[in-house]
Amino acid sequence: AGNTSEAVSLKPIEVDTSVPGAVTDVVLKDDSGAIVGGITNDSTPTVSGKGEPGATVTLKDDKGTALGSTTVDKDGNWSITP
């Protein structure tokens, strides 16, 4: 139709390409019994901790198989129950 709008001024865009730091304060919650020697008999333990907001945390077993994944919330908290 030949209509034009006013020019828009965009603000600069910053892309964060840095690698997030390692997670901290990792806690294993076992509601089936005691954790002995770092081993649990709970088939669905909850693993939680702190991390960089927006980062992805993936829980893997000793063979490297992913058991679950989540995104760190805005307060730096994450939790995975496989």
Side-chain angles (χ1 to χ4, degrees), residues 21-29 35 46-51 57-59 76-80:
V23 296
T24 62
D25 303 326
V26 177
V27 175
L28 174 64
K29 182 180 178 193
I35 299 170
T46 299
V47 182
S48 61
K50 295 282 192 178
V57 176
T58 302
L59 179 65
N77 300 306
W78 61 270
S79 176
I80 299 172

